[in-house]
Each structure stands twice: as C-alpha cells, then as structure tokens.
Amino acid sequence: QVQLVESGGASVQPGGSLRLSCAASGSTFGHPIMGWFRQAPGKEREGVAATDSDGSTSYADSVKGRFTISRDNAKNTLYLQMNSLKPEDTAMYYCAADPRRMSTVQTLGASPSYWGQGTQVTVSS
C-alpha cells in the first residue's frame, strides 16, 4: 500500500501563491508517476499536473505558465507551486500516484490507483 498526505492548502486572495506538498510512504514501487488533481463543487475532477520519475511534466491548459510540479525522489515528496491564483482555481486538491507505465499526458486523463485525502485551496477576495 501507498499512503499519500497532502499539506499546504489555504485561503488566499486572487493573484496570490501557494505551495502544496505531498508526502508518500509505504510501498512506493520504485517512484511511480505522480500528479495533482482537483475537484470543485458541481464540476468533474480535473487532472492539473503530472510528473514521472525522470522529471518529465504535463499540465492542464488552464494552469500552464502559472503552476509548476516537481518531485524529490530521495524524500518521496511531490510539490505543486501555484502562482497567480484565480478564483477558478478554488477546489479540493488531491495528490495521486500510479505504478502503471504511461505518459504524463495520459496520467492527467486517468484514474490513478492511490489517492491522498486532499487539501482545500480557496481563492477569493
């Protein structure tokens, strides 16, 4: 089993920044592909960003240029730096991992095997 714990969610004003972290523990099966997903009330779940063990990344069009995903394999930690936040970014953000071999683009549209409990991000004035 893999356990994922997110942290860093908060309430911020439009234009602000946040950095989310995801700590992985348990059996991580050799650094799986990992990503961030989000879901707002009344909306479908959206793949935000994904990264594989080599550091390749993919982003949803809505966050390109504003969000940056990164990982520290030695620390088993995933990060999401969010800048220029907009009210539309308000959602519960989930860290996810999957042992299957696929591209980061494919991961954004997939349903990963392991999920964290989520951390709330609220952007409002």
Side-chain angles (χ1 to χ4, degrees):
Q1 293 290 331
V2 175
Q3 292 79 47
L4 304 172
V5 180
E6 305 96 332
S7 62
S11 294
V12 298
Q13 295 183 336
S17 298
L18 285 174
R19 190 191 194 199
L20 306 184
S21 298
C22 172
S25 61
S27 180
T28 54
F29 32 84
H31 308 298
I33 192 165
M34 300 184 73
W36 290 95
F37 294 74
R38 66 186 182 186
Q39 187 165 28
K43 296 184 178 180
E44 295 184 2
R45 185 180 65 203
E46 176 186 24
V48 176
T51 182
D52 62 20
S53 61
D54 296 322
S56 296
T57 60
S58 292
Y59 298 91
D61 288 341
S62 59
V63 306
K64 287 181 179 178
R66 299 189 298 118
F67 291 10
T68 302
I69 188 172
S70 62
R71 65 192 293 167
D72 187 331
N73 289 332
K75 297 181 179 179
N76 290 323
T77 303
L78 180 73
Y79 304 97
L80 184 67
Q81 178 66 47
M82 305 185 293
N83 298 324
S84 301
L85 284 163
K86 304 175 180 179
E88 305 92 89
D89 296 318
T90 295
M92 183 72 75
Y93 283 71
Y94 298 92
C95 174
D98 201 303
R100 294 174 293 177
R101 294 186 178 184
M102 53 185 170
S103 71
T104 53
V105 172
Q106 291 174 318
T107 299
L108 294 180
S111 182
S113 300
Y114 301 97
W115 297 84
Q117 293 295 304
T119 185
Q120 179 67 40
V121 173
T122 301
V123 185
S124 66
S125 58

